[in-house]
Structures are given as structure tokens and as C-alpha cells.
Amino acid sequence: MEELLAAAAQAMNAPVSMVERSAEARAKAEGAAIEDVLRAWSGGGDIVAITPTPAPAPAPDVAVSEEPPEVVAAPVPASSSAPMDEAAIVAAAAEKMGMPESMVKRSAAARAKAQGVEVDAVLMEWAGVDASSAAASPAATAPGPATPAAPATPAPVVATQPAVEAPASSDEEEPPEPEDADPLESEQEAVAAGALPRWLAALFVFVPAFAIAYALFLPNGPNCGDAGSLAVDPVTGLAVNCDGSAFGSGTVDLFALGAEVYDGIGCTACHGPAGGGVASFPAFTGGALLTTFPQDSCSAQIEWIGLGTLDWPDSTYGANAKPVGGSGAVMPGFAGVLSSQEIAAVALYERVAFGGQDLEAAITDCSGVPGAAALGG
Amino acid sequence: MTAVEDTQPESAIAAMGSDGSGSVVKLHALLALVFLFVGSVLLIIAYGGIAWPDSLQASAASEYLSFGRSLPMALNALVFGWLTLGLLAASYHFLPRLVGAPLAFRRVALGNALVAAIGVGVGVVAIGSGAGAGGRLLEMPWYSDAVLAVSFLVSAVIVTTTVRRSDLARVGVPVWYFIAASWWLFLSYTVGAIPGLAGAPAELQSAFTATAVFGMWIASAAIGGGYALVARLVPDVQFHPRLGRIGFWSLGSLWAWTAARTLQYGPMGDWMETVPVLFSSALIVAVLAITADFALALRGKWDGVTRSMPLQLFAAGTLLFVLIPGHMVVQSLRSSSTVVRFTGWEMAFDLLAVMGAFTLWTAALLAHILAAQSGKGWSMRSGTLVSVPIVGGVMFAVGTRWVAGLQQGYTWLAGVESSTYDNTGDGFFNTVAPLQGTDVLTAIGLAAAFAGVGVFLVGAFLRFGGSATEEEPGAATWPDDERPVVVRRGAVAVFALTVLAVFVFPAIDADREPTLLADESRDYPADSIESQGRDIYVAEGCWYCHTQQVRAIVTDIGLGPVSSSGDYAHDPAGILGIARIGPDLAHAGSRAPTDDSVWVQAHLSDPRVERPWSTMPAYRHLTDTELTALATYVAGLE
């Protein structure tokens, strides 16, 4: 009894305790002895040491009497020499069909899935080998149990799949239709079976693309100011603001403050987040800013930002004498909205980020004006 | 080796029972389980020591159990004892059944298990007795490294020879993993064992090795085992032809590239910091491919998974595995690493990966193997009793570290703007307060996880007694196959490319010229008191809680001059540190009171006199001479 249990558990690849319970239930249901059930489950006479009786015969009987919910395809603990067998069968099938072995295998897998039969069975059919003899002959020399004739087993592991015929019990089945072996069609089936679910395939493209885009474009670059990074003073070795001023109370990172103000106060609405302008509102990029407010005229730019188009006393502004409101655009004055420090900072930010002026030069340029001097810039 | 091994497959398979690979597998499994017990107890002691810092002082063993010693003891025992020996057991069990050939060099393999176990055991004891060598997962002293490198080479040869003797032209997905992982283990460990590196190269070596051992060895071997396990336990399972291939190659070639995520904003080149951003995001592809392959194959068969104890454990491990790349991405991206770097967040990784995903996976494989060999199955209840406490406990511990780490990081950021804390001295307490509030919870989570581990250990030990039954070799067909030699060469090529890009080139590129700081205040003559102090600093694992690096970011304001890689030119690995459970010490000698070696020595002997909030162990187990050396070293860090 113990040995039988172990053998059955072995053949079914299931825990002994579970096998025992299943066998008891089965025996009760069928009115048979537990030993008989177990013997059938253990693969008949395969485990020679335990049951010398050869008899693959009981297997089909049990299989036939299975109640559907309990039945799964036999786990087919395939025979010991199976890798060799399969390779040989694949080779035979490939030769017969004139296709590469790998393709034959994939096609067979696809076909097997489509038809709900074992891959081996498909391969054997294609190779023109009789299933039962192919399975039986190599196994005869090996001590390993379980030719494909292993019985359909009660389902200790998996029982959700509907019953599927094991290949060995399909001896009487019709051979496949001739056109089934059409390599072209098989190939298409194989491609279909090998296709990834679309969402998954899309993710495989999206994730690396995101990684590359993030590494290249998003604020993780090595630029000062990104993600809280600071500059290093070359003399003291201390971390300092990006504009070189000491970090801490009483000092302000003009560049960072300017960026914050530019994005926060709404400059982006008219001049664009990258200073490229919007519609008729002027752009800073492409040298436009430094044409209107060139080197050493940060103070003029600060004045312009403070007054805007409405309060500007003249009809033109800047070094190139642009007409005020010439493009039809109106800019409010920010003198009452921003502190003079914030206006200086945003001017500095625009000159460096969009005008292309050197940071050091811009600091000198903009810190000479009232309001910037106290910034420690 | 012996006549038995040279026989033909038929008789060879007959020899595969209790006297074949069975004894090899059992010995590996037995040793692995011993290390699981030792390692997880040490891990609880380590975190318990932070939660209740004075609790161990009365114990005679307190010397071995301070956080800086018990944590590396635990990690080395778990990684190289438990996980490595356990996964070797799984490789040796599944491989012969997958390729239909007997395990090669069985007697050598038996001896090799003992050699590896002795190597790890001696190494762990050495760490505990204060002979740790510094560097994450490289703490074991050189003699253990040498023994283990040889042992891992032998195991790779055993795996390769077994496959070769099968005469199979092509092998399936799990065999790829076993072949590649066995070589990756040997190669990663050998790179880590290269002695004599200092400064930036030594830190890169440590970062690379720790990452490669996790990704290229442990994760790969466990996933290979998972494929074999599912194919054995679930009938009619159909794996996807392409997903297996994508998963295999992407896991091996992406994971180790994330190594530098633990050096973000550190004294390495900027390009070195973009690499982990790229690769930890891309690692999602590998994780996605592997989990999707399992999920699609098991579609409609979940009922079977929940009713099989090993599959239950494996699924639970996979659940935690999916979180790992997410954790890595947060560590890598500059914006988020500004917040979480050096906080308690960093410590969550070891808990999530080692104690969580990897332990569940390895336990799943050993549970199946021991049941198959003893003929004693596991009840479904035992699966629940093991997996629920481990998943729950580990996630609780990880969650507490995550939350506390985020709180700590945001406290740093907010504190800079409002000047509410000092980055050093008593003000530092404000930044570790969230961490300390959850120390007890982390320890409780780990203790809960240990309950699951304990159930597994008892069940596993009970399954050593049964008689081995003949097990039929598996012949699952794999939808995709490959020539073994392609896998082996590909694995070595992937490793070569990775080690060049992540360790060799950055090490060459890093500024190794000693800076003024290095030459003036860190170039200690051999046998000087500072040199002895530094050796003690490394061996005691001070760097698990204290960094010695200042980054050019807002959270490090007030810590002194920003570090560059040349500053470490004369230092061994382990100086940079990984977390700030205690304050940064890069320039401890430039500020009061740590510039006074007498104060430092008194603080080391009884930390909670001066700073009641401190969780530092009291270093009374050091002799006065050692304490003086350590204090002199720290006070001299100008």
C-alpha cells in the first residue's frame, strides 16, 4: 500500500497525502479497492519493483470512467529517453516536410495547441510514425515509467482545464487531413502562436524608449540646478549656488530664483517655457534677446520688465529701437508684482537660459543694478 | 570520474536516485537550510539592535552582534550560504532531469558543497570577530574569497559538464539559466575577490559585485529553477517561445548595469550616473517578460498553483520580485535619489530581495526537491503558513523602511530651506526621528517573516528522512531552444561587456589621482594609529550607518567640502558608506565636538550619555587601544 501510494504519487507528481485522499474518494465512488485505483494511477506495470504485472491495459479503463471535472490531460511524465526520442521524431518530421527542425517544432507546438493534442502526437503524425509504436519501442529499453499511455489522472494539481485526450488513447484517431501538413499554413500558425500579446509588445518598445528619453531629456542631466544639484566652489570645495554665491541665509541663487519666477509668474504664457515666444509675443531665443538688450544692458531689461508696454515712457525700447507694442502684443509691468530682486533674477535667467549669455557675465551684468547688489551675486 | 558516471544514459538515469545526484542535492540543501536559520536570526538581531540599542550590551556575545557586524554576517550568510547553496542544490536537482544525463563529478560536487559551506562559515565568523574586509558583500576575508572562487568555478564546471555529457544539441530555457548563472556566479565573485584595490575602483568593485551576484546569479538561477518547477508540477504548461528568450538575455544583461545606482551623486563621473537610470528602467522589460511568460503559461491554471505548496511559494516570491526594479528606478533617477539616497530607503533593498523574493523562490525550489526525494508532500496549509508570514512580514519591514526613508529624505530637503536642523550634531536627530520611530516595526516585520521561515525549516528538515524514490526525468518540451555552447559563450560575453562598462571603464575614468585632502589628511603611514583606526572602522562596519561623502546637492549643505573620487585614493572600499543612520563623518574632524578624539572615544564607549537619541551600539568590546585608534581616526577626518 505504502509503495503503491509512493509510486502513484511519483507518477502523478503529486503529494502522497493528496493522492491517498483522491484514491480513497475514487475507490469509494467506483466501488473498487484502493490498491487497484492506485495501481492504475501509478502507471500500471511501469514501476517494475512494485507491480510486476505489465498491463498498460487498466489505464484506458480508468480513463474512460473518469468524471470530466476530475480529468486533466495526463501530466505525461514523459519517458526517460524522451529528449532523444523527440529529437529523432522532429528530425524525421523535418525531413519529411522539408523544413528546418526548429520551424517544425514551433509549428507542431502551434498545431498541438490549436487542436488540443500533445506536441509529440502532432510530430509523430507528421513524421508518419505510428504513435503507439513510437512511444512504446524506445521506452521498452528504459526503466523509466510512463509512456504516454499513462492514465488520465485525477487532478491533484490542476483541474480547471477541460479534459483533453492523451495521445496514446488516440490510437484510433483519424490521421490528420493532408492539407494540415502544408508547411506554409503551419508556419502562419506558428507565427500566430508565437506572437506576443499586443499590450506586452507595446510595453517592450515603450519602456526602453522611456528610459532613453528620460536619460536624455528629462531633468536628470548633469546640469547645475537640476534635481537639487549645486555647483562646487573650486577654492573652498564647498557646495554653492549655481551662480557661485554661497549657499545659505542671506544669499540667493539668482539663476534658480529666476527660473522659479519665470515659470511661476506666467512669463511662459507669452514667451513660452523655452523662451521661444507664442504667436505674436516675441521670442528670446535665436539671439533676439541679446539684440534688444545686449551685453551690459541688463539694467535696461530690468527696467522694461518693471514697466511693461503700458507704462514705458518712450515709443521705442532696447538697443535696436523696437517700437513699443509694435507686434500688437501687450506686456504688463511687473514692478508692483515682483520684488526688484525677483525682476533682476528673471532678467538674469532669461539672458542665460534663452539669450545664451555666459552665467558669470550675466551675474556681473545684472548684479550692478539696484536690487541685485544685495543678493550677494 | 568513476565508472558509474561514464555509463550510458539508461543506467545513468537509474543511478539518479538516492545514491546519485540525490545525495549531492541533499547535502547542498541541508547546508543551505542551516545558513538560512543562522542568517535570518542574525538579520533580526541586527535590526533589533537598532531598535533596542542597549539590549545586547549585557550579553557575552554582544561583540559579535553589533549592527555593523551582525548585518554583514546576516547578508553574507543568506546570500552565499542560504541562497547560493540552495540554488546550487536546485541546479543539481533539475539539470540532470532536464537534459537526461547524470550529474557530472558527483563526488567532487559533494566535497564542493562542504568546501563552499566552510568558506562561507569561516568568512561569516571572521566578520563577526572583527576581521571584515569592507565593501558590500565583499566583507569576507581573502581566504574565504579564495576558497569560494574555486568552489564556484567547480560548480560551474559541474553544470557545464553535465549538459555536455547529455549530448543534447539544443537545450531549453531553464537549462540556459542554469548554465549562464553558474558562470556568472563564478565570474562575479572572482571580480569581487580581486584584492588590493583602493579608492573609487574599490567602491565600484563592491557596487558591481553585489549587484551582479544578485541579478546574474541568484535571480537567474532561481528563475531557471522556476521554469523547471512549473514545467514539472503543472501539466500541459506551454511557455512562450519568445518571452523566455527576451527574459533570459535581458535579465542577465541589464541587471548588473544598475550597479552605480548606489553611487548616484557620489564622486563618480556624470555619465556613470546616467547608466543606472537607463538600465534600471529597462530592467522592467526583463521582469515583465519573465513574469508574463509565467502568467501566460499558467493562464486558466491558477487553481493548480494555489494548491501546490512550492508553486504557492514561487508565486509569492515573484510578487515581491516585481517590486525590485521599481525600487531600483527610484534609487537611480536623480530627482528621486535626491530624496531617498542615504536614507532608510536604501536598506529596504536587502530585505525585499534577499529576505523576500529570493528566499521565497529558493524555498519553493527546495520544498519541491525535498518532497520529491522523500516522497513526503507538503500540505496546502504549510504553503500558507510559510508564504503569508514571509510576504507579510517582509513587506511590512520593507514598507516601514520605505516610508521612513521618504520622511527622512524630505526632512533633509525641508530642513535646508527652513534651517530647522543641523546636518550634524544634536540637530541630526530631527532627520533620523522618522527612521527611529519605525525601527521597532521593522524588527517586528522581520520577526514575523521568521515565523514563516521557521515553519519552512521544520518542514524541510522533516523531509530529509524519507527514502528517495525513483523520479522520472522530466522531458518538458521547450518552445524555444538553443545550443548550450551559445548560451555559455553568450553568458561570458554579456558578463565581459558588463564588467568592462560598469567596473573597469569607470574605474579607469574616475579621478584616481589623490587630491590635496587625500594626501594631506588621509594618507596614513602603515601601522600608524590612524591606519589602525581606519581598519577598525571598516571591519566594524561603521560605514553601514555613517557615510563619508558630501554631495553637491542641497541636502548635504553644511557637511563641508564636496567629495571627489581622488579624496579616497588611499582608502579601502567601505569608506563612502551607504546610509546615514548616523551623521556623515567625511569632515568630522573639522567640527566640534567630533574633532576631539577624547570626546569621540567617550561617545563610542557610551553613545547615549552625550546623545540620548543615538542608536549606535556601545563599542565596549573594543580594547582601549582599539578605541583610541578609532577615535583618533574619526577625529582626524578634516
Side-chain angles (χ1 to χ4, degrees), chain B residues 564-636:
Chain B
S564 69
S565 56
D567 290 349
Y568 307 97
H570 306 300
D571 288 326
I575 295 293
L576 265 70
I578 49 181
R580 288 182 186 154
I581 315 300
D584 181 81
L585 298 177
H587 304 287
S590 297
R591 59 175 181 255
T594 42
D595 57 349
D596 175 8
S597 69
V598 176
W599 186 93
V600 174
Q601 185 166 346
H603 185 56
L604 284 167
S605 319
D606 203 345
R608 277 157 290 283
V609 168
E610 289 287 335
R611 292 180 176 164
W613 47 267
S614 170
T615 52
M616 185 164 75
Y619 283 89
R620 285 179 214 129
H621 56 266
L622 296 181
T623 65
D624 280 349
T625 322
E626 289 170 329
L627 266 179
T628 309
L630 183 55
T632 309
Y633 166 69
V634 171

Side-chain angles (χ1 to χ4, degrees), chain A residues 6 9-18 21 72-84 86-87 101-102 105-106 109 112-113 118-120 141-146 155-161 164 190-191 193-197 199-200 203-204 207-208 210-216 219-223 226-232 236-240 247-249, chain B residues 10-11 13-14 98-100 166-168 170 231-236 238 240-243 246 265 270 274 277-279 281-286 288-289 292-293 296 299-305 307-308 311 332-336 338 368 372 375-380 416 419 469-481 551-557 559-563:
Chain A
Q10 186 64 34
M12 292 161 62
N13 217 347
V16 170
S17 58
M18 198 176 283
R21 278 201 302 278
V72 291
V76 190
S79 80
S80 56
S81 48
M84 300 289 289
E86 201 199 49
E101 289 186 21
S102 58
K105 283 179 81 170
R106 276 201 293 275
K113 203 173 170 191
E118 292 291 327
V119 179
D120 286 359
T141 57
V157 180
V158 169
T160 53
Q161 290 290 85
V164 182
V191 170
L196 299 178
W199 60 270
L200 199 56
L203 273 178
F204 284 162
V207 171
F210 168 80
I212 291 168
Y214 200 103
L216 290 179
N220 273 290
N223 302 320
D226 287 345
S229 61
L230 297 170
V232 181
T236 62
L238 293 170
V240 291
F247 187 98
S249 58
Chain B
E10 293 89 68
S11 54
I13 286 157
L98 288 163
V99 300
S166 75
D167 288 331
L168 282 184
R170 306 176 78 87
R232 285 202 76 72
L233 295 186
V234 184
D236 287 336
Q238 282 284 336
H240 193 281
R242 240 175 288 162
L243 283 175
I246 295 173
Y265 279 114
D270 285 328
T274 306
V277 175
L278 208 63
F279 280 84
S281 317
L283 188 65
I284 295 172
V285 166
L288 213 59
D293 201 11
L296 293 176
R299 205 163 33 178
K301 300 178 181 181
W302 282 106
D303 205 27
V305 175
R307 281 198 273 159
S308 156
L311 288 178
S332 303
L333 296 180
R334 282 171 184 252
S335 34
S336 47
T338 310
H368 164 71
K376 298 177 196 162
W378 297 76
S379 67
M380 284 185 298
V416 166
S419 303
T469 49
E470 285 288 314
E471 206 187 341
E472 75 283 5
T477 55
W478 298 94
D480 200 0
D481 53 17
R551 304 159 297 170
I553 63 174
V554 291
T555 50
D556 282 13
I557 290 297
L559 293 178
V562 173
S563 305

